[in-house]
């Protein structure tokens, strides 16, 4: 069974409080989404494996640690996931970035696919799928399925706010995927929005409403 980690670091919790506020404008919202992603990335990469390598400093030879194992990729779910990419890349600048375009049909709430471009060697990488919101789970579950269909089997999912309904679906459909969550909210409303949530993450990042 996958790991579910709620990131209770005080800086993450403080910034999530700020982005929830209705009067936080796009510029600050975008900035804080990026900062939260950076902090979450730091926490979510704690278990990456290290290996010893011998190096020479200006003074002598010594043994240091370097990352071992698979290379990393970041895959944001468009649009709102884009807001998390810069923060992730600040922590892991060598990661490749893929993109999956999905939007939620406002009537059915089902995800509709419109774009997919991944690094050529994606199936050999450890992939972090990022999206600020896990609501019904339709979008993230579909994005992860798209990756699996292309041979990617080492996947983690990171979201800033999750609803119990979405987490349940994720665990049912993709029990192998570790999930990193900034805050676990209460429920979904009749329109599929997370309560208390923060509204429409994509619109708030890009100022489209
Ligand atoms: C939002 C959000 C997630 C999805 C979550 O995207 O960024 O991708 O909804 O909802 P779900 O768990 O019920 O699928 P949206 O469809 O609004 O598209 P956007 O990012 O382009 O605004
Ligand atoms: N997508 C969002 O952006 N916000 C929600 O609350 C649910 C889905």
């Amino acid at each position: 069974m996958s790991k579910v980690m709620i990131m209770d670091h005080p800086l993450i919790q403080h910034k999530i409080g700020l982005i929830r506020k209705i009067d936080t404008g796009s510029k600050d919202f975008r900035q804080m989404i990026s900062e939260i992603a950076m902090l979450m990335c730091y926490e979510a990469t704690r278990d990456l494996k290290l290996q010893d390598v011998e190096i020479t400093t200006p003074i002598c030879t010594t043994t240091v640690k370097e990352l071992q194992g698979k290379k990393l990729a970041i895959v944001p779910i468009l649009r709102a996931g884009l807001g998390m990419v810069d923060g992730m890349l600040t922590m892991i600048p060598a990661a490749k970035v893929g993109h999956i375009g999905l939007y939620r049909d406002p009537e059915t709430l089902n995800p509709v696919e419109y774009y997919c471009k991944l690094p050529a060697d994606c199936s050999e990488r450890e992939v972090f799928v990022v999206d600020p919101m896990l609501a019904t789970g339709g979008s993230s579950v579909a994005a992860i399925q798209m990756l699996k269909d292309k041979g990617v089997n080492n996947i983690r999912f990171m979201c800033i706010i999750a609803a119990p309904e979405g987490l349940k679906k994720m665990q049912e459909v993709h029990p192998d995927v570790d999930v990193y969550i900034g805050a676990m909210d209460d429920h979904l409303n009749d329109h599929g929005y997370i309560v208390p949530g923060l509204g429409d993450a994509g619109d708030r990042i890009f100022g489209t409403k």
Side-chain angles (χ1 to χ4, degrees):
M1 192 62 175
S2 66
K3 239 178 8 195
V4 177
M5 270 192 63
I6 314 283
M7 306 280 185
D8 57 0
H9 191 289
L11 289 174
I12 296 175
Q13 295 308 310
H14 177 77
K15 289 171 195 288
I16 290 176
L18 296 175
I19 58 173
R20 287 186 191 277
K21 292 184 180 174
I22 191 170
D23 50 7
T24 298
S26 276
K27 178 173 163 287
D28 291 339
F29 189 89
R30 205 164 38 232
Q31 172 72 28
M32 277 182 285
I33 289 275
S34 184
E35 291 171 3
I36 292 165
M38 184 178 72
L39 292 165
M40 288 184 72
C41 180
Y42 176 77
E43 293 274 26
T45 48
R46 254 177 202 290
D47 62 346
L48 292 183
K49 301 270 180 302
L50 292 169
Q51 64 188 8
D52 289 339
V53 288
E54 195 141 307
I55 60 134
T56 308
T57 74
I59 309 299
C60 65
T61 59
T62 187
T63 303
V64 296
K65 304 284 183 195
E66 74 173 20
L67 288 172
Q68 168 205 40
K70 293 198 175 207
K71 297 207 169 100
L72 305 179
I74 303 160
V75 177
I77 302 176
L78 308 181
R79 287 177 302 168
L82 284 176
M84 298 175 72
V85 174
D86 277 358
M88 298 283 296
L89 283 175
T90 302
M91 289 288 109
I92 37 176
K96 294 265 167 71
V97 182
H99 295 88
I100 291 181
L102 290 172
Y103 70 88
R104 250 184 9 162
D105 182 294
E107 300 299 323
T108 65
L109 300 184
N110 290 327
V112 182
E113 176 187 338
Y114 62 91
Y115 190 73
C116 182
K117 181 79 178 173
L118 302 173
D121 60 354
C122 204
S123 61
E124 289 150 37
R125 289 178 179 262
E126 175 141 9
V127 174
F128 283 82
V129 176
V130 296
D131 190 324
M133 309 303 276
L134 176 65
T136 64
S139 305
S140 42
V141 163
I144 289 167
Q145 192 57 53
M146 286 164 71
L147 288 168
K148 288 184 173 177
D149 291 346
K150 291 180 189 298
V152 183
N153 53 28
N154 207 328
I155 304 172
R156 304 178 189 211
F157 176 69
M158 190 185 293
C159 63
I160 295 178
I161 297 191
E165 294 88 334
L167 178 60
K168 182 165 176 281
K169 182 165 180 169
M170 180 65 77
Q171 290 186 299
E172 280 167 7
V173 183
H174 298 301
D176 54 310
V177 172
D178 288 346
V179 182
Y180 301 90
I181 298 171
M184 196 65 216
D185 273 14
D186 198 56
H187 65 280
L188 296 176
N189 69 16
D190 293 344
H191 305 286
Y193 277 85
I194 300 175
V195 181
L198 49 70
D200 188 306
D203 281 344
R204 295 196 63 187
I205 290 170
F206 295 107
T208 43
K209 215 169 199 176

